[in-house]
Each structure stands twice: as structure tokens, then as C-alpha cells.
Amino acid sequence: MYAWPASEVPALPGSGRDLRIHDTATAGRVTLAPGPVARIYVCGITPYDATHMGHAATYNAFDLVQRVWLDTKRQVHYVQNVTDVDDPLLERAVATGVDWAALAERETALFREDMTALRMLPPQQYIGAVEAIPGIVPLVERLRDAGAAYELGRDVYFSVDSDPAFGGVSNLDAEAMRILSAERGGDPDRPGKKNPLDPMLWMAAREGEPSWDGASLGQGRPGWHIECVAIALDHLGMGFDVQGGGSDLAFPHHEMGASHAQALTGEHPFAKTYVHAGMVGLNGEKMSKSKGNLVFVSTTRRNGVDPAAIRLALLANHYRADWEWTDTVLDEAVARLARWRAAVSRPDGLPAEALLEEIREALADDLDSPKALAAVDRWALAQTSGDGTDEGAPGLASRAVDALLGVAL
Ligand code: 5CA
Ligand code: ZN
């Protein structure tokens, strides 16, 4: 699939710092040390509804990771998927009487518009589950032939016990894994499974559902985790730098994906670092398509809110925190955007070199965007004194905010 247009990232003087970030697998902070081309896979949307502020917050976090890398003069190889066939999408299509493929296409198009408006850097490969199927089938066959997968009825399951490192991404106990598996698309209670946690790799065709030729697997459709594994291995290979997503993906999705890939290749790890963003809620509950308590990016834009203000609202919260979307969060962001724009519209100002270094340091410190915003606030406030005479200052400040925070002033 095509992704969305890239907004330009202005060049900055000097060089950024290496990113220190919280890694879920080791439950501690690591300093990322990518090569000249940093490799990142971020799990994409399941396109059965519009992009909400929770999605946007998660994509914002991984956009910051890339901006920090770019500031260290590295290139970034970024891959994202679209889960354009899966149970929730098919259920929504049936419930609303829309063709599933048309629904996926419509919501993916809206996602592209939202990402463009928010100035999120696009992936170099943006790959749908459906288009990945020809690559998924041989992987499932290989897992089965190697004894890491087994048939149950006509479905094929992955055996989690085939990966000695299983459990190493999310570090949960068996009971927690079982509960989350049931909540997040697994079927721990299905009789006949070798381990209740085993996830489906290939689902045999069901009456009234779309299905594809699975060669020796028979007609069917892919499981969720193998989708991301096939796409990541195809474009990034083993041992890429970061796999990202919201914290609800740590288990089972990223845990299972890591095990699939490790069983397939005999190598470890799938991703060097697993990074997870907190959950954004509304009225005390996690914002989720299935609960319907959503604030959409597109609706907010249509109501006349500048996308840069939406982005500032996301940045005002630390990416690892669970936080609530409220009108106040947005109102504060709108006011901050106006203050910053007024500050950079002056012909001169206080030198901004120190501000650039403060933003760099804040982001390198586990993407501390609230701290970066506070630094810009201080610079913008000092501008109101009118004492500064550095003609380059407003330009440098706005380039720093654009390049490192994705906000165009
Ligand atoms: N297609 C799969 C990933 S392969 C999926 O999880 N799709 S999704 O549309 O449900 O979510 C897309 C991304 O947004 C995921 O990283 C998910 O963790 C994140 N996300 C979903 N809800 C929230 C929320 N309320 N707050 C923060 N992030 C969220
Ligand atoms: Zn994924």
C-alpha cells in the first residue's frame, strides 16, 4: 500500500543525543545504539473505525523516536502494517452492513489524512495484512514442518513451548497471560490445544468470511501475530532496533510475534528493544473502538482545531503514562500553540541554542516531551520581555520545534 506524504524535517545545527528509553523486555532503561540506518517496526491500526486520540498518542511516541534518531544524523527504516483483515473488522462490517474491504479502505484513507495532518513521519513500507498473505503462508508451513505449529481441526496453532525464550517480552506470570490472552483475541479455553496460550497462525475458511489460498494449509486467513512477523522479517530482518505499540500489545501480540520469529529463525531477539506507550482514556476508561468512548482526530480537525494543537496536546503527556483526554488538555494546547506562534513571529529574540539543547536532552531522556514543552514555554515567555536581539533566534526555535517535536509554528 502507499503510506502518506512526508513533511520536511528541518536540519538543525550540531547533533542530537543517543536515546535512552524504557525497554519492556528488560523492564529497565536502555541506550539505543542503532547502526547508520535505525530499524523500527510500529504496529499499525485495525481499520474498522477512525483514528482516536489514543492511537495518535502512540504514533506520536514512535514519531519522536525517529526524530531523535534523525537528529543524530542516522537514517531511519520504518515499517508499519495495517491489519486489514481480522475478527473485529469483519464483525464491524457485518454489524453495519458494509463490505469489509471497503470499510478497511475507507478507514485507512482517513488514517493517512490524520497522520499527514499531525505531521507524523510516514513508514517506507506500509503493508496490509491481505497483501502480506503470500509471504505469511510459507512461514506458517515452515513452523508446522519444524514441529513448532500443529493443526487443530483445520486451523493451525503456534506452540509457545517451541520457543525457549517465550515470556521474555512481557515477563508476565501464567495466570496473567491466560487472562490477557482471553481478553485480547486469544482462545485459551478451546479444547485440544497443547498450551492454552497457543495462538492461531492460520484460520481455516469460515462460512461467509473472506479467505485466501493457503497452499498446503488450505483456504483460510492469517492469525494476527504472524502478520506483523512476516512483514517485519521481510523488510527489516531479525534483530531490528525497536518494535513499538501501545502497552496493550506487549502481551500477547509482541510476545507471540517474538516467539514466532525466534522459532522460525533460531535467532534471538526478534526486536532488540520493545517500547510501549501508555493508554489514553476518556471518562475513566481506556479509549477503545470496542467500547466506543472515542475522541477522533478527524472529528476534532473538522471542528476547526489546528492539528498542531492536537499534537501539542499529545506531547503534553509523557508517552509511558496512562492519561485522560479532556477538553482542558486540548484548550491548554490551543493556548500554548498561540503563545509559541506569537513568540516566533517576533523579528528577533533571545538566543535559542540553549533551548535546542534542552529539547534534545529532554527527548533523549526516555522521550520526556512534557519537559521539552516546558523548555519552549520558558523561551516563549522570555520573548515577551522583548529584550532579545538575536535575529536568528525565532527561526532556530521554530526549526527545533518542527524537527524534534513535529509541530509547525
Ligand atoms: N492492528 C493492531 C496492531 S498490529 C492494533 O492493535 N490495531 S489498533 O487499531 O487496535 O491499535 C493501533 C495502535 O494504537 C496500537 O499500538 C495500540 O496499542 C494503540 N492504541 C489503541 N488504543 C489506545 C489507547 N486508548 N491509548 C493509546 N494507544 C492505543
Ligand atoms: Zn502488530
Side-chain angles (χ1 to χ4, degrees), residues 160-320:
V160 294
D161 297 315
S162 67
D163 174 28
F166 175 72
V169 173
S170 55
N171 298 305
L172 298 169
D173 61 41
E175 183 55 18
M177 288 200 273
R178 198 185 163 107
I179 292 167
L180 288 176
S181 161
E183 281 174 11
R184 298 177 179 167
D187 55 1
D189 298 324
R190 179 168 175 179
K193 289 171 67 172
K194 289 187 178 166
N195 184 319
L197 298 175
D198 291 346
M200 217 184 265
L201 288 166
W202 186 255
M203 181 192 270
R206 306 286 203 261
E207 184 68 35
E209 287 190 358
S211 64
W212 288 264
D213 177 13
S216 71
L217 307 172
Q219 199 67 20
R221 62 180 165 95
W224 173 28
H225 320 304
I226 193 70
E227 165 195 344
C228 287
V229 171
I231 296 169
L233 288 182
D234 191 16
H235 296 285
L236 297 174
M238 285 298 277
F240 57 91
D241 296 290
V242 168
Q243 181 169 27
S247 57
D248 58 343
L249 295 192
F251 191 88
H253 187 50
H254 291 171
E255 189 71 65
M256 296 300 177
S259 277
H260 291 358
Q262 285 150 194
L264 270 166
T265 62
E267 290 171 38
H268 179 92
F270 177 46
K272 287 189 185 126
T273 306
Y274 294 89
V275 178
H276 294 106
M279 288 291 115
V280 181
L282 184 72
N283 304 326
E285 279 205 278
K286 169 192 159 185
M287 228 185 250
S288 93
K289 286 179 278 205
S290 46
K291 290 198 188 101
N293 59 335
L294 306 172
V295 177
F296 294 120
V297 174
S298 47
T299 319
T300 310
R301 290 198 289 124
R302 225 174 298 129
N303 290 342
V305 176
D306 189 321
I310 301 177
R311 183 113 193 201
L312 278 182
L314 307 174
L315 289 161
N317 295 276
H318 192 270
Y319 83 98
R320 280 210 290 138

Side-chain angles (χ1 to χ4, degrees), residues 1 5 8 14-15 41 55 86 91 100-101 154 173 194-195 213 222-223 236 238 270 276 283 330 347 352 366 382 404:
M1 300 191 167
E8 204 192 321
S15 176
Y41 184 96
H55 299 133
D86 201 4
E91 283 160 20
W100 66 272
R154 286 155 42 246
D173 61 41
K194 289 187 178 166
N195 184 319
D213 177 13
L236 297 174
M238 285 298 277
F270 177 46
H276 294 106
N283 304 326
L330 184 57
D366 201 22
L404 295 172

